[in-house]
Amino acid sequence: MDEDVYKGVNDTDPEQRGTPVGRRVFLGTLGLGALGVLAAPKLQSGLEGLLGGAADQDPTGLTGLLPNGGGFRYYSVASSVPRKNADTYRLKVDGLVDHPTTYTLADLKALPQTRMVRDVQCVTGWRVPDTPFEGVRLSRLLDAAGVRPTARAIRFTCFDGTYTESLTLRQARRADVLVALRMQDKDLGHSHGGPVRLYVAPMYFYKSAKWLSGITVTDEVRPGYWEERGYDVDAWVGRSNGRDDEPTS
Ligand SMILES: Nc1nc2c(c(=O)[nH]1)N[C@H]1C(S)=C(S)[C@@H](COP(=O)(O)O)O[C@H]1N2
Ligand SMILES: [Mo]
């Protein structure tokens, strides 16, 4: 584990600047990194055996670590994930809002799209430089829904039925947080969380929930799937990884 991780924990968050660096947070990240390295070769060889090396399929086992084109690895905590398309996909925005809304894929495509090119960084060590993502700013969907004054956070749910994520409301309103429809200038494929995934550019990739189906505005942060298992809730990647930590981009 290199020192990028350490730098990334605290020095880039505009909300946290000036607060002491959480040593517990650093140690937690280190511990998981080591675990990932130990677990990876075993899992990967198991999956390659099962799939005969095919890269763009659902692994039938647990978390997948197959190379998935351009340096990506396939991750899913669910053993199988239903496929959704333009007819069947729905995204629900609800919770502490004045106007709960359900979007179809066409609805999302009709909204203004934002394209960003950043490095993707997984907490287990792999990185994919200069990856374009494109989609609707989350802040736009929140504004449309009318967030109530008591709201503090967002909970994200997925149609894999298992994965969850969280952001504070302030993080969620950043200009570099997208409800993404495209990655690498292509429509998001199933294995990368298509048709729609969250994309949280300034944070480790586990924040970018795949197969996004629900955006629920809540009164407090509810830690997501990996966060309940030890990952940092605030998952900032540092400047050292080529990120821009400014709230506008
Ligand atoms: N629904 C869902 N989203 C998820 C995950 C997952 O297991 N399920 N894994 C996360 C992690 S740890 C990473 S690194 C990225 C991997 O995205 P990729 O499969 O497109 O490479 O998805 C994130 N989002
Ligand atoms: Mo990850």
Side-chain angles (χ1 to χ4, degrees):
M1 190 59 57
D2 59 35
E3 64 172 11
D4 286 357
V5 170
Y6 178 77
K7 284 185 196 155
V9 170
N10 252 295
D11 67 354
T12 61
D13 180 1
E15 289 183 68
Q16 306 221 329
R17 218 175 267 143
T19 56
V21 171
R23 182 159 175 76
R24 181 191 55 80
V25 172
F26 171 52
L27 292 173
T29 305
L30 230 187
L32 280 158
L35 205 143
V37 168
L38 287 178
K42 206 173 158 195
L43 261 170
Q44 181 149 3
S45 60
L47 286 163
E48 273 161 7
L50 274 175
L51 297 174
D56 195 31
Q57 287 178 20
D58 280 356
T60 48
L62 298 170
T63 304
L65 286 168
L66 281 174
N68 191 16
F72 280 92
R73 294 170 187 211
Y74 174 91
Y75 277 71
S76 175
V77 297
S79 54
S80 78
V81 182
R83 283 170 191 267
K84 302 268 185 188
N85 58 33
D87 294 330
T88 55
Y89 179 77
R90 296 289 183 277
L91 175 62
K92 201 164 148 188
V93 182
D94 63 8
L96 299 174
V97 296
D98 292 332
H99 318 287
T101 313
T102 300
Y103 293 89
T104 65
L105 194 55
D107 292 337
L108 293 171
K109 281 185 178 164
L111 295 170
Q113 308 290 305
T114 298
R115 183 175 180 274
M116 294 191 305
V117 182
R118 307 287 177 88
D119 298 351
V120 160
Q121 176 75 55
C122 174
V123 82
T124 59
W126 56 274
R127 180 187 308 185
V128 186
D130 301 331
T131 305
F133 278 86
E134 200 176 325
V136 181
R137 286 208 169 109
L138 177 58
S139 63
R140 172 175 288 275
L141 301 186
L142 294 175
D143 288 348
V147 173
R148 295 202 178 141
T150 53
R152 293 289 174 274
I154 315 288
R155 178 169 176 82
F156 301 94
T157 48
C158 306
F159 63 79
D160 64 10
T162 307
Y163 203 74
T164 55
E165 254 307 336
S166 69
L167 289 173
T168 67
L169 189 55
R170 179 166 168 172
Q171 292 164 358
R173 285 190 157 133
R174 288 173 60 109
D176 54 3
V177 176
L178 302 181
V179 169
L181 312 181
R182 289 166 66 79
M183 185 179 115
Q184 295 174 312
D185 295 319
K186 291 180 297 224
D187 290 345
L188 262 174
H190 177 73
S191 62
H192 281 303
V196 178
R197 80 184 292 169
L198 186 65
Y199 175 58
V200 184
M203 294 193 176
Y204 283 108
F205 207 28
Y206 64 83
K207 279 287 175 183
S208 294
K210 298 161 65 166
W211 307 298
L212 184 66
S213 58
I215 296 173
T216 301
V217 180
T218 60
D219 60 356
E220 59 182 5
V221 169
R222 280 194 267 164
Y225 181 91
W226 282 119
E227 294 154 11
E228 285 186 318
R229 289 157 180 80
Y231 280 41
D232 299 340
V233 172
D234 287 320
W236 305 99
V237 177
R239 262 200 197 101
S240 49
N241 287 321
R243 303 303 170 108
D244 174 5
D245 66 278
E246 296 303 319
T248 53
S249 64

